[in-house]
Amino acid sequence: WIVACFIPDIPHPIVNLHGVQGSGKSLACRRLRSLVDPSAVGSMSLPRDVEQLIQMLDHNWTPVFDNIDKLTSEQSDTFCRATTGDGHSRRALYTNDEVTLRTFKRCIILNGINNPAFKPDLLDRSIMIELDRIPATERKEESHLNMEWANARPKLLGGILDALVHALSIYPTIQCSQLPRMADFARWGCAIAQTLGRSQED
């Protein structure tokens, strides 16, 4: 998924991290975003207003929505459209006939204690990752984690870009007998998996 985030113009599934308190969900989300779409704002609260949500999606390549309890049907539908690139339109302010159009495909990350995605169409567009609580014996101070991350991040980014270059070279040869709903991502996923020494089935 991280490698595929660097491939534009394809639908990218939503990464949905869920798990109990103390499982590192928020930190993991901020780390993912810092690899793909660095920002001074590592994560955001999910707005109730869908127009505001659309604006946030429009302005961020990899928006992270933190600590979500549940999604409304309208929010869920907006996330579905944001993964596949469907457009949004609204009347421009102070006009009667001018329309503002937005169309985009985003790499979205959600997290919460419980899985906030409940509608089948959103689940079909999601990668579900459950995190376990971090044992007290394995916890570290955030300053120490930040130092380790500062050392690891450029190496990880270099590895991601190396994998992308190789995936680009073998992508034309990838054949898939069956494709799931997000077919473009699945075919790229097969190329990336092979690049990383895994199988297409993986």
Side-chain angles (χ1 to χ4, degrees):
W1 178 86
I2 296 173
V3 176
C5 285
F6 290 86
I7 302 168
D9 302 325
I10 66 167
H12 298 87
I14 295 170
V15 167
N16 192 324
L17 290 166
H18 59 284
V20 298
Q21 301 97 322
S23 55
K25 299 180 296 295
S26 297
L27 183 60
C29 289
R30 292 196 299 270
R31 296 295 195 241
L32 288 171
R33 178 166 190 180
S34 75
L35 286 168
V36 178
D37 183 24
S39 172
V41 180
S43 61
M44 300 171 280
S45 297
L46 180 66
R48 293 184 181 180
D49 179 60
V50 171
E51 287 294 332
Q52 188 179 355
L53 173 59
I54 290 169
Q55 184 179 26
M56 294 168 83
L57 291 166
D58 190 32
H59 292 185
N60 294 271
W61 175 247
T62 308
V64 172
F65 295 98
D66 192 31
N67 199 25
I68 299 172
D69 183 28
K70 60 183 177 181
L71 296 172
T72 66
S73 291
E74 198 171 13
Q75 289 168 333
S76 182
D77 291 342
T78 300
F79 281 132
C80 287
R81 290 195 300 272
T83 63
T84 55
D86 287 347
H88 302 268
S89 66
R90 60 169 296 202
R91 185 174 61 84
L93 290 176
Y94 311 114
T95 68
N96 290 325
D97 57 357
E98 291 183 29
V99 175
T100 300
L101 298 174
R102 288 187 171 116
T103 180
F104 43 76
K105 294 176 184 174
R106 294 293 180 257
C107 307
I108 300 166
I109 304 172
L110 309 176
N111 81 58
I113 291 175
N114 299 309
N115 169 23
F118 67 95
K119 295 186 71 175
D121 54 350
L122 185 61
L123 289 169
D124 278 352
R125 294 170 171 87
S126 296
I127 297 175
M128 311 302 297
I129 302 174
E130 184 174 4
L131 301 181
D132 295 326
R133 184 175 177 84
I134 300 169
T137 55
E138 295 182 20
R139 291 193 175 275
K140 297 180 181 179
E141 296 176 12
E142 192 161 348
S143 59
H144 183 69
L145 290 171
N146 289 340
M147 185 174 61
E148 289 182 335
W149 181 250
N151 290 327
R153 183 170 171 265
K155 298 171 187 174
L156 290 168
L157 184 58
I160 289 167
L161 296 177
D162 285 346
L164 178 61
V165 169
H166 190 203
L168 285 166
S169 69
I170 67 171
Y171 176 77
T173 68
I174 298 295
Q175 300 292 326
C176 301
S177 58
Q178 291 185 330
L179 289 168
R181 184 167 191 169
M182 302 196 72
D184 298 88
F185 172 79
R187 187 174 169 208
W188 275 109
C190 289
I192 293 165
Q194 287 194 9
T195 293
L196 299 175
R198 308 296 290 269
S199 69
Q200 283 194 198
E201 289 72 21
D202 290 338

